[in-house]
Amino acid sequence: MRIKAVNFYLYNHEFKNPIVTPKVQMTHRKALIVEFLSDDDQSYYGECNAFESDWYAVETIDTVKETLSQWAESVIHKSFHVYEDWKPYLDLLDNYPTARSTVVMAIYQMYHDLPKFKVAYGATISGLSTQQLEYLKQTQPKRIKLKWTGQLNDDITLLDDILPYDFELALDANESLDVSDFQKLESINDQNILYIEEPFKSLSSTLNIDHTQYPAIAIDEKATDINSIISIVKRFPVKVVIVKPFRVGGLDRVQSLIRELKSIDIKVVIGGMYEYGLSRYFTALLAREGDYPGDVTPDGYYFNDDFTQGVGKLKEGMISFHPPQIDKSKLLKLN
């Protein structure tokens, strides 16, 4: 296969509900899409998970576009017969994991048949409104991740009373706790809590609790790259890692990292980041290799429209995926 061109596109759609975090408020999700065009006029696409600003990671849409525009000059008119032929070119992107992740998504499709599959749905909830409880009853997620609030115990009791099925529970504290807060978990210790995500701002605090008495500790924001992840799990009593593909360089790097973490008895959850259907498909593909349900959202969860309609239909707690088909007419081509 010879690469005839590398093209760049934007897709920008409104969230159903604005995304509000301590760092940013977003009404739209702008995404950079990269197309590899082969000499037989086949197109292979990758979706970039960077944002317009560096609120979440150093790489942004603009920096990824700049990096890949320069990098593309080294692969245009080159022939690649097997995936391994790309290795020296992908190595050029070692310092740009989000850019690397974007192109790996496209390159993977050149040499692999994309399967149909199902994954368990894992919902993330912040506060329990009547509307949210009704949504949980209808969608029946296998895992429910609750954001830590002052009424955590009440929320868990409410879930147990209202939901007519068995579910697994995860907690997300967003680095907001101190060691004394763990006493609040004693009254819910009989619950099936898979893990508590990012409880402390400092990892040294994990050394000051009795880990036989509480759920496993997970890292997410601190899981910034492969070297950091391996260093953390070897130094601290962290038992679960939330792996986001764009942070570590893409699908192939995630697969290698999963094997390494499992060899030292560390559990893995695959995380997503406000993705459209193309990227969601690959997040879900990796989530099949995780130990617990990943942060994979169904079709229509964030957006009313997508450039890959219908990818990830939800039914009875499972999300069914088929290979994404790109509607190129919805993409804005960049120069």
Side-chain angles (χ1 to χ4, degrees), residues 233 238-241 258 261-268 291:
V233 299
V238 169
K239 293 300 181 182
V240 182
V241 177
I258 289 174
L261 290 173
K262 289 190 175 186
S263 73
I264 54 176
D265 199 28
I266 302 297
K267 306 296 187 185
V268 174
D291 295 281

Side-chain angles (χ1 to χ4, degrees), residues 63-134:
T63 67
V64 170
K65 167 66 163 56
E66 181 180 359
T67 297
L68 292 183
S69 294
Q70 297 175 9
W71 175 85
E73 296 176 5
S74 67
V75 303
I76 292 175
H77 306 311
K78 296 285 196 318
S79 293
F80 301 88
H81 302 290
V82 293
Y83 186 85
E84 287 69 25
D85 291 343
W86 286 91
K87 186 179 185 307
Y89 298 92
L90 292 175
D91 287 347
L92 299 174
L93 298 173
D94 276 351
N95 294 325
Y96 309 96
T98 305
R100 188 184 188 281
S101 177
T102 304
V103 298
V104 165
M105 192 182 301
I107 294 167
Y108 182 89
Q109 299 170 63
M110 300 176 187
Y111 306 100
H112 299 83
D113 292 328
L114 300 185
K116 295 181 180 179
F117 59 89
K118 293 181 180 180
V119 295
Y121 176 36
T124 298
I125 301 297
S126 180
L128 288 177
S129 65
T130 302
Q131 182 180 6
Q132 286 172 322
L133 285 169
E134 185 61 33

Side-chain angles (χ1 to χ4, degrees), residues 171-311:
L171 307 177
D172 186 359
N174 292 117
E175 301 182 333
S176 64
L177 307 184
D178 57 39
V179 173
S180 64
D181 286 308
F182 267 68
Q183 295 174 358
K184 299 174 184 177
L185 289 175
E186 291 181 357
S187 61
I188 56 174
N189 199 35
D190 59 340
Q191 299 290 331
N192 183 21
I193 301 176
L194 299 175
Y195 55 86
I196 178 166
E197 192 174 312
E198 294 286 359
F200 307 121
K201 194 167 188 65
S202 171
L203 282 165
S204 62
S205 296
T206 63
L207 302 172
N208 299 319
I209 61 173
D210 180 357
H211 290 270
T212 65
Q213 299 296 316
Y214 302 110
I217 288 178
I219 55 170
D220 179 1
E221 282 80 5
K222 296 180 180 66
T224 54
D225 58 79
I226 291 176
N227 290 335
S228 295
I229 290 169
I230 298 302
S231 174
I232 287 170
V233 299
K234 288 183 176 180
R235 293 175 56 207
F236 299 99
V238 169
K239 293 300 181 182
V240 182
V241 177
I242 316 297
V243 178
K244 291 183 174 168
F246 73 93
R247 281 178 171 162
V248 300
L251 185 146
D252 57 338
R253 292 277 173 85
V254 174
Q255 291 174 323
S256 176
L257 177 60
I258 289 174
R259 290 192 293 270
E260 185 170 1
L261 290 173
K262 289 190 175 186
S263 73
I264 54 176
D265 199 28
I266 302 297
K267 306 296 187 185
V268 174
V269 177
I270 302 300
M273 184 53 70
Y274 313 126
E275 299 158 309
Y276 291 111
L278 175 60
S279 182
R280 249 182 328 108
Y281 175 90
F282 285 94
T283 296
L285 190 70
L286 287 167
R288 298 188 305 170
E289 302 181 37
D291 295 281
Y292 304 128
D295 295 327
V296 181
T297 52
D299 179 55
Y301 185 85
Y302 287 120
F303 312 102
N304 286 319
D305 196 19
D306 198 327
F307 61 94
T308 57
Q309 283 294 103
V311 177

Side-chain angles (χ1 to χ4, degrees), residues 30-48:
K30 182 182 287 188
L32 176 70
I33 311 300
V34 178
E35 175 194 29
F36 288 79
L37 185 63
S38 68
D39 54 355
D40 58 353
D41 290 324
Q42 296 295 309
S43 291
Y44 305 91
Y45 296 89
E47 178 182 334
C48 173

